[in-house]
Amino acid sequence: MNALPPIKTSETQAHRDLKRLALQWAQTNGFRIAAAEVSLPNHRVRMDVAAYRAERVRVATISEKSKASRVVWKPKVGVTAIFECKASVTDFIRDARSMQATLERLKVLHEKREKAEHELKLHYPSIRNGDSLFQEYETLNFEKPGYERYEKVLREMRRLSARLHGNTKFDRLTKCGAANLFYVVADLEVVSRHGLPCGWGLLEREGEQLTLKVKPHWHEVPEDDRLAFLHRISMAASRCVNREHGVILRPPGRAPEAKLRG
């Protein structure tokens, strides 16, 4: 597992613990490539934890010599995920600019959405993304069937969520299509289900483990953007390894600092 960067002066131990648990949960659930403090410079945002799950696809091939067909596994661009950690209610509210009336309306809409999603799961098996062997972790694309009543609820939830989370880190990450899946990672009772940014999942801390309380919605992201995301994770992980081993990088042809001063 990737080592975490040194503690920032403004970071609490509780927040750091959540990042560690997010790294652990991601890698345990198939996102084997992960790192903390990953930046997206084009969007001026730094993610608490970013993760990537490698994918393979079965391809039928035919041998030119024997003309026999066989099935092989070939790699394809995988799935990306972002984890934002919130260790206290004030931390989350500061980011969300929460308003009580909006939260109360979102609670009602959340209940309507859950009822509609239950109906969709019964009548539209095609909404399953098939991205996990375990049903409790499999993500679903509820917008796929074009269910009008569900889409109406979702449109209002997005509008109210934008009022809560507009111009925040949550909003910037979602609008720029940074990843396929988004998770808020929080201690117990820090984040309510209906107060989540629209489409985000919730991982809640219970002791030294995270429990998935709300599944995230699936976001389509172009392959090139997912590969760039993987590149940013690799860069962040390399910085951690360099720091751990005392590696100091200098531009090619540049002399060590001591020689420059002389």
Side-chain angles (χ1 to χ4, degrees), residues 78-108:
V79 178
T80 54
I82 291 173
F83 302 80
E84 283 301 308
C85 303
K86 299 300 168 190
S88 67
V89 175
T90 53
D91 186 17
F92 182 70
I93 290 176
R94 183 178 63 245
D95 278 2
R97 298 185 305 178
S98 180
M99 294 177 286
Q100 189 60 36
T102 303
L103 281 172
E104 289 174 1
R105 177 58 182 161
L106 278 169
K107 185 177 181 179
V108 173

Side-chain angles (χ1 to χ4, degrees), residues 61-74:
T61 61
I62 300 177
S63 172
E64 293 184 1
K65 292 183 179 180
S66 64
K67 302 301 180 183
S69 63
R70 66 190 184 100
V71 175
V72 297
W73 287 94
K74 289 192 175 182

Side-chain angles (χ1 to χ4, degrees), residues 46-187:
R46 186 184 295 271
M47 300 168 282
D48 287 336
V49 171
Y52 177 90
R53 185 177 64 220
E55 299 276 294
R56 294 189 302 167
V57 62
R58 296 178 67 180
V59 179
T61 61
I62 300 177
S63 172
E64 293 184 1
K65 292 183 179 180
S66 64
K67 302 301 180 183
S69 63
R70 66 190 184 100
V71 175
V72 297
W73 287 94
K74 289 192 175 182
K76 70 171 186 176
V77 180
V79 178
T80 54
I82 291 173
F83 302 80
E84 283 301 308
C85 303
K86 299 300 168 190
S88 67
V89 175
T90 53
D91 186 17
F92 182 70
I93 290 176
R94 183 178 63 245
D95 278 2
R97 298 185 305 178
S98 180
M99 294 177 286
Q100 189 60 36
T102 303
L103 281 172
E104 289 174 1
R105 177 58 182 161
L106 278 169
K107 185 177 181 179
V108 173
L109 291 170
H110 180 81
E111 292 169 356
K112 289 184 177 181
R113 189 188 77 179
E114 284 190 330
K115 184 178 179 180
E117 288 179 352
H118 177 70
E119 295 172 1
L120 286 166
K121 281 191 284 187
L122 291 176
H123 301 292
Y124 295 92
S126 61
I127 64 175
R128 300 187 181 279
N129 289 316
D131 55 352
S132 176
L133 295 174
F134 305 100
Q135 187 175 353
E136 62 267 31
Y137 297 126
E138 184 181 35
T139 57
L140 306 171
N141 186 355
F142 291 107
E143 296 176 71
K144 193 174 181 180
Y147 187 23
E148 185 177 348
R149 182 161 64 89
Y150 179 76
E151 290 184 345
K152 182 179 179 181
V153 171
L154 205 60
R155 280 196 299 271
E156 187 176 357
M157 288 186 73
R158 284 173 175 157
R159 180 177 61 81
L160 295 178
S161 183
R163 184 185 299 174
L164 281 176
H165 305 289
N167 297 319
T168 65
K169 192 176 181 181
F170 299 126
D171 184 51
R172 292 196 300 273
L173 287 170
T174 306
K175 280 185 176 178
C176 72
N180 297 119
L181 301 170
F182 299 89
Y183 296 89
V184 174
V185 184
D187 281 315

